[in-house]
Amino acid sequence: MSSNAPSEPGTVMAGEMAEQPAVLRRILDEGAPAIREVAERIAAKNPRFVLLTARGTSDNAALYAKYLLEIQLGKPCGLTSMSTTTAYGAQPDLTDCLVITISQSGGSPDLVASTEAAREAGAITLAVTNNADSPLAQVSEFHIDVLAGPEKALPATKTYTAELLALYLFVDGLRSGSRAEAAKALPELAEAVLARKSEVKALAARYRFAERMVLTSRGYGYPTAKEAALKLMETSYIPALSYSGADLLHGPLAMVDNISPVIAVVADGKGGEALQPVLERLRDRGADLVVIGRQEEVDRASAGFALPTDGLPEELQPIVQILPLQMLAYEVTMARGQDPDAPRSLAKVTKTR
C-alpha cells in the first residue's frame, strides 16, 4: 500500500490512545525535572492567586488544575473569560497573579492575546503546551512542554492525559517536598486499562443508537465527565451533557429516565463519597446507570468499567478514569459507521478571538 494512501477509519485515534502509557513514562522520566524547575521558579515569586485559561479539551485540563491548586495548595483559582480582554478590552490588575494558559497547539489567537494582556497587566504567565515553538510559548514568561509528540487525530487523547500529568507534577513542585511518587504507577495502570478493549466494546453496544447521554461526577472526577462528554460529542455526534453531581440534583435530574444512559465517574475517595446521594437518586429513577470507577459501585449499576485505582491517590485517578471513556467514544463512533479521526466541521487548531 502506498504511504500516501488514506488510513482506515479510526486508526489514527486508536494509535494515539495506545501511545498514552509511553507518553506518561516520557513525562515522568524526561519532563519531570524541567517541570519541577519551572514550579520552583514560580513558587519563589509567591503568587497570591491563580487564573487558568484554555479552550476545549484543555479547558477540562484547566478545571482539573483548579481542583489541584485549591485542594492541595489552598490557592484561590478562577477560570478566565478571554473575551473580557480580547473583545471588551478590560484591563484588570493582575499583580502577583499566576496566569496558566493551557493549549495543545499553542496557536489560537485568543489564547495568545489574552496571555500577552495578562503579562502586560503584571501577571506571572505560564504556558502549558505540546509545542515549545508555538506563539503561546513565545509570549509567556514560563513554559511547560507536555511531551506528547505530534497528535494527528482531531479528537485530543494523549495530549489530554499528558496535560493532566504535567499539571499534577507542576502543582506538586510548587510545594516543599514532593509527593509525586504514586504517579510512577500510572504508565502500567494505563496499559492495563487500554488492554481491556473487549469490555469497552460491550459497553459501546448499549449506546450505538443513543439519542442523548448524561455524564456526572464530583470533585477531581468532574473534569473527566466533561472531557468524556466532549469526546462523545465530537466523535459520535451524540448530544452528551455533563454535570457536577450537585448541579444534576438542582434541576437537570428531571430529564433522566430509563431510556437516556447516565455515565457516572465514581472516584475512590471524597469525590466518590460526595456522589453517593446522586447515585441513589439515579437508581431510584430507574436510570440506565453505567459506572466508571470502583468495583463495588460497578456491581450496583446497570453496567460499568471497574478501574484499577487501589492505592492511587484520588488526585491522580482522572488520568486513568478518562481512558475507558476515550475508548468508549471511539467504539461508539465506529459502531455508528463514522470516522473518529476526522469529525465533521472540526480543525486541529481552532482560531478564535
Side-chain angles (χ1 to χ4, degrees), residues 85 212 326:
T85 54
R212 181 186 67 199
Q326 290 174 347

Side-chain angles (χ1 to χ4, degrees), residues 36-265:
R36 187 157 197 89
E37 180 183 351
V38 168
E40 289 173 350
R41 291 175 64 189
I42 290 175
K45 294 177 176 285
N46 195 28
R48 292 183 297 113
F49 61 101
V50 183
L51 292 175
L52 295 135
T53 304
R55 297 281 193 204
T57 284
S58 294
D59 199 31
N60 299 324
L63 180 58
Y64 168 73
K66 184 176 187 292
Y67 277 95
L68 280 175
L69 287 156
E70 291 183 340
I71 296 169
Q72 303 293 318
L73 301 183
K75 292 283 186 185
C77 293
L79 301 174
T80 65
S81 300
M82 281 173 276
S83 62
T84 60
T85 54
T86 61
Y88 291 92
Q91 296 178 318
D93 180 1
L94 298 180
T95 305
D96 298 329
C97 175
L98 170 60
V99 172
I100 304 174
T101 307
I102 307 165
S103 170
Q104 184 271 133
S105 69
S108 186
D110 56 352
L111 294 169
V112 175
S114 64
T115 301
E116 285 182 310
R119 195 166 181 179
E120 291 171 0
I124 307 157
T125 53
L126 167 65
V128 179
T129 81
N130 194 38
N131 184 357
D133 297 322
S134 65
L136 178 60
Q138 299 305 312
V139 301
S140 300
E141 183 179 359
F142 298 98
H143 176 251
I144 288 174
D145 189 341
V146 303
L147 300 175
E151 189 167 55
K152 297 178 181 178
L154 284 174
T157 53
K158 63 180 182 178
T159 52
Y160 178 68
T161 49
E163 286 174 350
L164 296 190
L165 180 53
L167 288 163
Y168 170 82
L169 293 173
F170 169 70
V171 173
D172 183 70
L174 289 176
R175 58 189 169 197
S176 59
S178 175
R179 304 176 197 174
E181 185 69 22
K184 293 180 180 178
L186 288 169
E188 287 190 8
L189 289 174
E191 286 175 343
V193 170
L194 292 169
R196 294 161 60 188
K197 294 178 184 177
S198 60
E199 292 180 54
V200 178
K201 278 193 174 184
L203 279 180
R206 303 173 70 91
Y207 305 131
R208 181 176 180 182
F209 301 108
E211 296 182 359
R212 181 186 67 199
M213 299 171 79
V214 175
L215 294 96
T216 189
S217 190
R218 292 204 66 180
Y220 288 111
Y222 180 41
T224 305
K226 290 177 67 66
E227 173 61 12
L230 176 59
K231 284 292 152 288
L232 284 160
M233 287 189 288
E234 69 183 355
T235 57
S236 70
Y237 317 141
I238 297 173
L241 309 173
S242 58
Y243 296 98
S244 156
D247 286 332
L248 187 64
L249 296 183
H250 278 268
L253 183 69
M255 72 176 171
V256 174
D257 53 29
N258 61 356
I259 298 173
S260 298
V262 178
I263 299 176
V265 180

Side-chain angles (χ1 to χ4, degrees), residues 265-286:
V265 180
V266 185
D268 185 3
K270 293 182 179 179
E273 293 170 8
L275 196 63
Q276 290 304 311
V278 183
L279 299 176
E280 291 297 335
R281 292 286 296 278
L282 289 168
R283 283 189 284 262
D284 289 345
R285 291 190 63 81

Side-chain angles (χ1 to χ4, degrees), residues 12-23:
V12 181
M13 182 179 176
E16 291 180 345
M17 287 192 294
E19 288 179 35
Q20 290 177 104
V23 171

